[in-house]
């Protein structure tokens, strides 16, 4: 039973991070139909910039805020100067473009930080919390808290503000959106800013749980992409659920079957779901079929 | 078929034979091995260009088929004691079957969903290589894979074997592209709905592209195992898949020659970076990934069709031939 709760906690922590990354994917996708495969790099940059800023003797709070701001700026620059000029009508070219971006960012990061692993201090003490046999790092609580907070902010922005309505409008009908005086480019810029910021926060929150290095973004990005696809790319609640599902499957797979096979189990699950439902668990059925 | 035997394409083919044939006489042993690896990569990328440029699909897991080919040869020769030539034949078939099964399994996926599925497949295969210790040797890999009899000095002979294979694959692909099948591929690439409406069985043609790409990757993988003698899971992952993708995109996915040129170009850049990093220590590290990333980004933005189609366009303009649309009107 203790094992069960231990796996549950682990699954919820990593699942929460995947959910945040997935929401980042969906936010950008909804506004501009771009899947930004460089999303994982935002998490890497968040963690590593925070490490560097802390190294200069800055206070934790300031380092946190500054690194989130810097990553947000990087995200906006990427949209403004690269992605905006991408071939918007061709999904395959867009995938390749953002893969290129992610390789580029990772390469530049490896020049700045080398290939060493860095440890970021946890937000509060290193002492684990033990509760009837289940031990949990304090940082895990912070991660869950950060995830819940981000989920709430996203929900609030998208559902309760005019800005959210404008961004949603872009995904419904681009031409009509333009005619209503909304600038889709501006909305896409905003979407990149939002996913970069949320990515940076998630990246800083999980960095203390494990070491961080220039290549942590690869797997986080791919798992987030998996969650976004599994959830169907359409609604944020669906991909959040998919994120947690992937985290839980991974944690229980690692605990009950084999830790080496945990990723294979997750990917098998995704292929299995896509075979049955080609647009993910919560995606709209595709209109007009022309597949294999 | 006429286009295949036009004067221009014969000249291109002649230049290719000359360069590929004379290369071993101008380099050291090191360059010979670079040439062999480039040839092996080219076999994979030509197959990938059929999937990407002609059938208009994407594969983010091409290295998996390459790996299945390599491991088939590795396992059959070291564990079953099979003759390397026979193992190579099976190494070509098994990835083709794997590609067939994968293509069937992910039937109906498009765009981002297809990318995810092929990515997932690539990861699963690499994980299996690492975890199935009793068969694949786990992370340590397989050692002592025998070389192919008749080509066991792994020098100039093997180079010609590999490039002979590249030439075969190239001719086979060119033949396909200039046939009814190739026209069907292009129709699918333009619009699947339109292709369906004129009676093209879209599903079967896509399946064919994947199976051919699996077959080519398998041949290359099997030869790779013979050449290296040892294999481990590391080179058969996402990194290699993306490298294949880069080669195809840079050269021009909608051109078999593009895949070949892209492979040579990206391979050469890698070598140049290696030499530069010896002279400039600050370039050590992931300089090559920066270059690959930058090439991908710049290529998609400024030259989305790739190098060879762009060159063809420039050549056509220089000769002031009528545009294809005008030619059609005139006919």
């Amino acid at each position: 039973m203790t094992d069960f709760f231990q796996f549950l906690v682990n699954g919820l922590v990593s699942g929460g991070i995947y959910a945040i990354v997935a929401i980042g994917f969906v936010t950008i996708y909804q506004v501009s139909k771009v899947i930004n495969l460089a999303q994982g790099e935002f998490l890497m940059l968040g963690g590593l910039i925070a490490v560097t800023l802390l190294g200069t003797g800055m206070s934790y709070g300031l380092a946190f805020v500054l690194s989130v701001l810097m990553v947000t700026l990087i995200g906006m620059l990427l949209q403004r100067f690269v992605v905006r000029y991408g071939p918007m009508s061709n999904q395959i070219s867009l995938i390749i473009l953002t893969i290129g971006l992610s390789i580029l960012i990772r390469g530049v990061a490896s020049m700045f930080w080398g290939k060493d692993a860095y440890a970021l201090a946890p937000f509060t003490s290193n002492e684990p919390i033990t509760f009837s046999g289940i031990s949990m790092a304090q940082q895990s609580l912070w991660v869950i808290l950060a995830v819940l907070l981000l989920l709430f902010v996203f929900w609030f922005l998208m559902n309760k503000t005019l800005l959210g309505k404008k961004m949603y409008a872009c995904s419904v009908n681009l031409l009509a959106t333009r005619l209503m005086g909304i600038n889709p480019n501006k909305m896409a810029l905003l979407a990149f800013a939002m996913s970069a910021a949320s990515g940076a926060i998630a990246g800083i929150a999980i960095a203390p749980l494990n070491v961080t290095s220039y290549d942590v973004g690869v797997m986080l990005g791919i798992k987030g992409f998996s969650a976004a696809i599994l959830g169907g790319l359409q609604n944020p609640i669906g991909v959040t659920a998919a994120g947690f599902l992937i985290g839980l499957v991974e944690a229980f797979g690692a605990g009950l079957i084999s830790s080496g096979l945990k990723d294979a189990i997750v990917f098998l699950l995704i292929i299995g779901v896509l075979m049955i439902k080609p647009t993910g668990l919560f995606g709209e059925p595709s209109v007009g079929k022309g597949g294999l | 078929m006429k286009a295949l035997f036009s004067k221009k394409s014969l000249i291109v083919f002649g230049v290719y034979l000359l360069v590929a044939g004379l290369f071993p006489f101008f380099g050291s042993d090191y360059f010979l091995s670079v040439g062999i690896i480039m040839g092996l990569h080219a076999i994979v990328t030509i197959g990938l260009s059929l999937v990407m440029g002609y059938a208009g699909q994407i594969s983010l897991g091409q290295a998996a088929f390459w790996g299945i080919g390599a491991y088939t040869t590795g396992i059959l020769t070291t564990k079953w004691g099979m003759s390397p030539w026979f193992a190579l034949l099976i190494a070509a078939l098994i990835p083709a079957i794997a590609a067939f099964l994968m293509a069937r399994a992910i039937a109906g996926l498009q765009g981002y969903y297809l990318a995810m599925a092929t990515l997932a497949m690539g990861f699963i295969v690499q994980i299996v290589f690492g975890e199935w210790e009793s068969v694949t040797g786990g992370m340590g890999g397989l050692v002592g894979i025998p070389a192919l009899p008749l080509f066991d000095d792994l020098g100039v002979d093997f180079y010609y074997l590999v490039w002979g294979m590249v030439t075969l694959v190239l001719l086979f692909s060119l033949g396909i592209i200039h046939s009814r099948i190739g026209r069907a591929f292009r129709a699918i690439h333009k619009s699947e709905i339109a292709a369906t409406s004129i009676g093209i069985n879209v599903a079967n043609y896509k399946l064919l592209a994947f199976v051919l790409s699996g077959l080519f990757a398998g041949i290359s993988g099997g030869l790779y195992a013979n050449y290296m003698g040892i294999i481990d899971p590391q080179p058969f992952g996402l990194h290699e898949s993306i490298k294949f993708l880069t080669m195809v995109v840079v050269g021009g996915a909608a051109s078999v020659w593009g895949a070949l040129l892209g492979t040579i170009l990206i391979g050469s850049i890698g070598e140049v970076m290696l030499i530069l990093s010896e002279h400039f220590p600050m370039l050590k590290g992931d300089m090559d990934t920066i270059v690959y990333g930058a090439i991908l980004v710049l290529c998609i933005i400024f030259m989305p069709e790739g190098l060879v189609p762009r060159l063809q366009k420039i050549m056509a303009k220089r000769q002031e031939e009528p545009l294809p649309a005008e030619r059609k009107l005139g006919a």
Side-chain angles (χ1 to χ4, degrees):
Chain A
M1 210 53 200
T2 344
D3 274 356
F4 177 82
F5 281 108
Q6 191 73 61
F7 299 152
L8 189 69
V9 169
N10 294 348
L12 288 178
V13 170
S14 48
I17 295 295
Y18 301 155
I20 295 300
V21 183
I23 287 192
F25 274 109
V26 172
T27 307
I28 294 177
Y29 176 76
Q30 280 203 330
V31 174
S32 57
K33 297 285 172 268
V34 173
I35 279 288
N36 174 32
L37 286 172
Q39 187 72 23
E41 312 311 324
F42 293 148
L43 281 85
M44 176 273 289
L45 286 174
L48 284 178
I49 292 177
V51 168
T52 307
L53 290 179
L54 274 178
T56 63
M58 206 176 266
S59 80
Y60 209 118
L62 190 62
F64 183 97
V65 172
L66 267 184
S67 71
V68 172
L69 284 179
M70 282 166 79
V71 176
T72 309
L73 186 69
I74 293 171
M76 290 169 83
L77 291 176
L78 288 186
Q79 200 282 335
R80 180 64 189 79
F81 292 106
V82 183
V83 179
R84 185 173 293 183
Y85 303 102
M88 285 308 164
S89 57
N90 188 340
Q91 289 196 344
I92 286 174
S93 295
L94 283 173
I95 291 172
I96 296 165
L97 176 69
T98 56
I99 285 177
L101 271 182
S102 89
I103 298 175
L104 190 61
I105 297 173
R106 209 180 310 142
V108 172
S110 83
M111 289 197 84
F112 270 107
W113 286 285
K115 296 196 172 178
D116 308 322
Y118 292 87
L120 184 63
F123 293 2
T124 49
S125 95
N126 241 333
E127 206 73 6
I129 310 166
T130 320
F131 182 73
S132 65
I134 312 153
S135 83
M136 183 179 180
Q138 284 190 23
Q139 188 64 28
S140 300
L141 271 183
W142 282 110
V143 172
I144 292 174
L145 204 69
V147 167
L148 291 178
L149 194 72
L150 283 174
L151 288 177
F152 175 76
V153 169
F154 268 108
W155 172 82
F156 186 82
L157 268 179
M158 296 311 282
N159 291 296
K160 299 287 168 192
T161 63
L162 188 60
L163 190 68
K165 294 270 182 286
K166 284 182 184 174
M167 291 175 81
Y168 180 66
C170 293
S171 75
V172 177
N173 186 331
L174 209 55
L175 181 64
T177 309
R178 274 214 190 90
L179 293 175
M180 292 298 112
I182 299 166
N183 182 349
N185 272 335
K186 223 187 217 162
M187 292 300 128
L189 192 65
L190 211 65
F192 261 81
M194 280 166 67
S195 20
S198 65
I201 293 172
I204 299 170
I206 52 151
L209 280 178
N210 213 326
V211 288
T212 184
S213 66
Y214 81 105
D215 60 354
V216 290
V218 184
M219 230 23 200
L220 288 169
I222 286 171
K223 291 284 172 58
F225 180 42
S226 309
I229 290 287
L230 191 63
L233 279 180
Q234 293 285 338
N235 68 50
I237 297 169
V239 299
T240 307
F244 279 110
L245 180 67
I246 287 179
L248 288 171
V249 168
E250 196 180 276
F252 280 92
L256 300 176
I257 302 170
S258 143
S259 62
L261 285 176
K262 64 175 183 166
D263 291 338
I265 297 167
V266 169
F267 289 129
L268 267 180
L269 170 84
I270 291 163
I271 293 186
V273 169
L274 289 181
M275 279 168 71
I276 298 161
K277 254 195 124 236
T279 50
L281 286 175
F282 309 103
E284 282 168 17
S286 77
V287 188
K289 183 156 162 23
L292 275 175
Chain B
M1 279 315 226
K2 221 185 214 166
L4 186 52
F5 297 111
S6 73
K7 204 171 130 199
K8 219 189 282 167
S9 52
L10 284 180
I11 291 175
V12 169
F13 192 68
V15 170
Y16 156 75
L17 279 185
L18 211 64
V19 172
L22 292 181
F23 179 78
F25 298 104
F26 293 102
S28 58
D29 282 356
Y30 175 72
F31 280 108
L32 195 66
S33 73
V34 172
I36 289 172
I37 295 292
M38 268 185 199
L40 292 173
H41 285 165
I43 299 174
V44 181
T45 53
I46 290 171
L48 188 56
S49 85
L50 291 180
V51 170
M52 289 181 59
Y54 291 94
Q57 308 298 299
I58 190 168
S59 171
L60 295 182
Q62 206 61 18
F65 298 121
W66 198 47
I68 294 175
Y71 268 92
T72 306
T73 281
I75 292 164
L76 290 180
T77 52
T78 60
K79 306 233 159 169
W80 292 25
M82 197 178 271
S83 118
W85 281 108
F86 197 57
L88 182 61
L89 189 71
I90 298 179
L93 289 179
I94 295 211
I97 294 168
F100 175 79
L101 293 177
M102 184 203 75
R104 282 301 293 268
I106 58 177
L109 298 188
Q110 284 175 319
Y112 296 135
Y113 293 91
L114 183 68
M116 178 71 238
T118 55
L119 187 74
M121 195 268 320
F123 268 107
I124 292 171
V125 169
Q126 197 191 18
I127 292 168
V128 169
F129 289 156
E131 295 294 316
W132 198 8
E133 280 205 41
S134 59
V135 176
T136 62
M139 289 302 179
L142 293 168
V143 290
I145 301 164
L148 284 168
L150 302 179
F151 296 95
D152 48 3
D153 73 328
L154 298 179
V156 179
D157 293 1
F158 197 79
Y159 172 89
Y160 282 118
L161 175 70
V162 167
W163 279 90
M165 199 55 95
V166 174
T167 312
L168 269 183
V169 164
L170 190 75
L171 287 178
F172 182 75
S173 305
L174 284 172
I176 280 192
I177 289 156
H178 289 99
S179 72
R180 185 188 168 83
I181 302 173
R183 289 192 292 276
F185 278 156
R186 261 164 292 172
I188 293 170
H189 196 172
K190 281 266 152 59
S191 162
E192 291 192 4
I193 297 168
T196 311
S197 77
I198 52 169
I200 292 170
N201 189 334
V202 173
N204 281 353
Y205 280 106
K206 281 196 203 168
L207 201 61
L208 181 70
F210 272 108
V211 170
L212 285 176
S213 83
L215 183 79
F216 294 172
I219 295 171
S220 167
L223 288 171
Y224 177 78
N226 286 317
Y227 180 62
M228 300 303 283
I230 49 172
I231 46 171
D232 65 72
Q234 196 261 329
F236 305 117
L238 181 64
H239 186 259
E240 202 69 19
S241 292
I242 289 178
K243 210 164 152 188
F244 290 142
L245 191 81
T246 312
M247 291 166 174
V248 171
V249 169
V250 169
S255 157
V256 174
W257 288 109
L260 186 66
L261 195 71
T263 308
I264 294 170
L265 207 65
I266 295 290
S268 311
I269 290 174
E271 291 307 316
V272 170
M273 298 305 299
L274 207 64
I275 293 165
L276 279 182
S277 73
E278 274 163 20
H279 295 280
F280 304 96
M282 80 259 219
L283 288 179
K284 276 217 170 92
D286 272 6
M287 202 54 204
D288 54 338
T289 45
I290 299 180
V291 173
Y292 293 147
I295 289 175
L296 271 183
V297 170
L298 293 175
C299 197
I300 290 291
I301 290 178
F302 295 108
M303 198 175 60
E305 75 273 38
L307 200 56
V308 169
R310 172 62 62 93
L311 285 178
Q312 282 170 342
K313 223 182 265 172
I314 294 170
M315 296 272 278
K317 239 182 218 157
R318 186 164 297 167
Q319 293 181 353
E320 284 181 317
E321 278 177 9
L323 290 170
E326 290 167 4
R327 221 181 298 157
K328 237 176 270 162
L329 281 177

